[in-house]
Amino acid sequence: MTPRLFIVGLGPGAEDQVTQEAREALAQATDLLGYGLYVTRAVILGAADQAVPHVTDNREELGRARHALELAMQGRVPVVVSGGDAGVFGMASAVFEAVAEGPEAWRGIDIRVIPGVTAVLATAARLGAPLGGDFCVISLSDNLKPWDVVVRRLRLAAEAGLVIALYNPRSLARPGQLDLGLAALRDVLPGEIPVVFARAIGRPTEHVLSTTLSQARGESADMSTLVLIGCAHTKQIKRPGQIPWLYTLRRVP
């Protein structure tokens, strides 16, 4: 039989935002590979009872990918799990990087990437329609790219008039980078641009803070937060006692 490997996006956290295709892949798993939180979620979501968990740190992506490929060659059915969509700052790119650098035989594996609802899409749905125009997603983590590259991309995205979604905005190891990133955006954008800190969207601990670029502070975010920065064409509809709806114009005047 052709070796098989699944790469599955588990969505942003709510069980009803996990796709049926993802659940079907989990049900076939002989092995689950991923960061501990995601492996635990995969078990709760219905992974096969016999699936063996392989938990690794979130900085061990390439090693995890190689392990999954080796398991597939042994006739196992490994499922590599990520939060959100595995192709958006997730494990899919690590697996294909490992394939490109690995033995020729790995190219014969039937690798299936199962899409998931991303944090930016879940957040946008919660807020209204802030992604109605052009947008981009940028990771603030400098683990895999220099910080000056991050800042340059932020500035260029702002100059281009894109709505910006920030992943990995703040961690214990990087407590000040979000404030530096916001400062870089203030050099380009007016202070009244809307900014939203959306934490744990779809989960019981969900929290949404709506503010402006001039008032935004890094302390409002952690690694479970997605930060959304609007553009000149992002509008607000205020609602009494509730966070405002946001929408971005579909056309650029």
Side-chain angles (χ1 to χ4, degrees):
M1 294 180 62
T2 302
R4 287 185 299 157
L5 185 157
F6 292 97
I7 310 169
V8 172
L10 298 177
E15 286 195 25
D16 57 359
Q17 290 181 330
V18 180
T19 68
Q20 182 61 33
E21 189 178 12
R23 293 180 187 274
E24 291 171 359
L26 292 173
Q28 300 177 57
T30 62
D31 300 82
L32 294 170
L33 299 94
Y35 182 54
L37 173 64
Y38 302 137
V39 170
T40 299
R41 280 183 57 200
V43 172
I44 294 171
L45 291 168
D49 291 339
Q50 76 275 10
V52 178
H54 304 271
V55 174
T56 46
D57 185 78
N58 61 2
R59 293 196 183 192
E60 299 177 19
E61 288 90 350
L62 269 179
R64 183 187 304 153
R66 294 185 184 108
H67 187 196
L69 293 160
E70 290 164 356
L71 288 169
M73 294 301 295
Q74 295 168 18
R76 310 282 290 177
V77 184
V79 176
V80 181
V81 290
S82 287
D85 182 283
V88 180
F89 305 126
M91 279 299 300
S93 58
V95 171
F96 288 108
E97 183 178 342
V99 170
E101 298 174 352
E104 186 70 24
W106 285 358
R107 303 187 181 205
I109 297 173
D110 180 10
I111 300 175
R112 303 183 188 182
V113 183
I114 310 300
V117 177
T118 66
V120 66
L121 295 181
T123 297
R126 176 72 173 80
L127 299 176
L131 307 183
D134 295 332
F135 70 96
C136 67
V137 293
I138 297 175
S139 171
L140 280 197
S141 173
D142 59 353
N143 288 336
L144 299 175
K145 59 180 179 288
W147 176 246
D148 62 337
V149 171
V150 176
V151 173
R152 181 170 181 267
R153 290 177 177 179
L154 287 172
R155 291 179 181 275
L156 290 173
E159 290 172 3
L162 302 178
V163 171
I164 303 170
L166 300 181
Y167 278 61
N168 306 313
R170 191 169 185 261
S171 68
L172 292 176
R174 300 180 288 102
Q177 288 184 348
L178 178 54
D179 281 314
L180 293 174
L182 292 170
L185 291 174
R186 290 187 193 105
D187 290 340
V188 180
L189 298 172
E192 64 270 18
I193 287 288
V195 174
V196 175
F197 295 89
R199 186 184 187 281
I201 294 298
R203 286 175 265 171
T205 55
E206 175 182 310
H207 178 72
V208 178
L209 171 65
S210 180
T211 185
T212 62
L213 183 58
S214 63
Q215 298 296 318
R217 298 293 180 266
E219 63 190 24
S220 300
D222 61 15
M223 284 297 281
S224 295
T225 304
L226 183 130
V227 183
L228 192 85
I229 298 108
C231 69
H233 306 297
T234 301
K235 309 298 181 182
Q236 283 191 347
I237 301 175
K238 294 187 177 181
R239 302 186 291 163
Q242 300 185 66
I243 62 169
W245 279 318
L246 290 183
Y247 71 100
T248 297
L249 297 176
R250 294 170 296 149
R251 58 189 177 277
V252 177

